[in-house]
Amino acid sequence: MKLKFIEPTIIFSIAGFFIPSFTVMLIIGFQMLLMLIGLECTTAWKFTWFLTILACVIGPFLFFSKIVKSVSLENYEKVKKQLLLFNIFEYVMLQSSLSAFYSNPKTLCYVGDGQNGLELIFTGWLALPILIAISFVFEKLAN
């Protein structure tokens, strides 16, 4: 039996198509937390993007080195649960990171035209094919 990573990720992606507004709340909440500890709004967005870009680049390598290398048919169900957690984490990190290319801190902080939420939702949708591509790589390397 071949280990499958793409199918669970596609199932997550179907749900992921409908949840970007919820994950936007997590991203904005994190940015607001940074503001509460004293960072200025534009600096908080830059720091958020720095952290999420770093996390979405390092995350797949950590997941692969810790989880995928040790996967076997016996522990595949456990790995599928860990893949779901990875997909959620990576989805949010990608959503935030990609928003750095479609918006800027000044717009997000000081322009209230309603466009900001749409940009962040759009980047959530952009994250889905990237997640599927990452799972494709996992599947090829694990089998």
Side-chain angles (χ1 to χ4, degrees):
M1 178 180 156
K2 193 174 177 182
L3 301 172
K4 298 180 185 202
F5 293 92
I6 298 171
E7 285 179 21
T9 302
I10 289 174
I11 292 167
F12 171 81
S13 295
I14 292 168
F17 186 77
F18 298 100
I19 65 168
S21 59
F22 297 113
T23 53
V24 164
M25 287 185 249
L26 289 172
I27 296 165
I28 291 174
F30 180 74
Q31 179 267 337
M32 291 173 86
L33 178 67
L34 292 174
M35 287 177 55
L36 283 174
I37 62 171
L39 289 178
E40 190 271 328
C41 184
T42 57
T43 305
W45 273 112
K46 290 175 186 176
F47 188 70
T48 299
W49 288 333
F50 172 76
L51 286 180
T52 58
I53 289 169
L54 189 64
C56 76
V57 170
I58 294 173
F61 293 106
L62 290 176
F63 180 78
F64 185 79
S65 67
K66 299 291 183 202
I67 306 301
V68 176
K69 281 185 175 181
S70 65
V71 70
S72 65
L73 293 176
E74 295 80 33
N75 67 352
Y76 178 62
E77 287 302 316
K78 179 181 175 189
V79 171
K80 276 178 44 176
K81 291 175 186 172
Q82 293 169 335
L83 177 65
L84 175 63
L85 293 175
F86 167 78
N87 282 337
I88 293 168
F89 174 80
E90 191 72 8
Y91 175 78
V92 174
M93 297 301 111
L94 284 167
Q95 182 180 17
S96 176
S97 299
L98 291 170
S99 70
F101 300 103
Y102 291 95
S103 193
N104 63 61
K106 288 182 182 175
T107 301
L108 291 171
C109 291
Y110 305 117
V111 178
D113 62 1
Q115 184 180 6
N116 304 338
L118 293 177
E119 292 169 351
L120 293 171
I121 289 170
F122 175 68
T123 58
W125 293 332
L126 286 176
L128 296 173
I130 297 170
L131 276 178
I132 294 169
I134 292 169
S135 289
F136 177 79
V137 172
F138 287 164
E139 191 168 303
K140 292 298 177 192
L141 293 174
N143 288 310

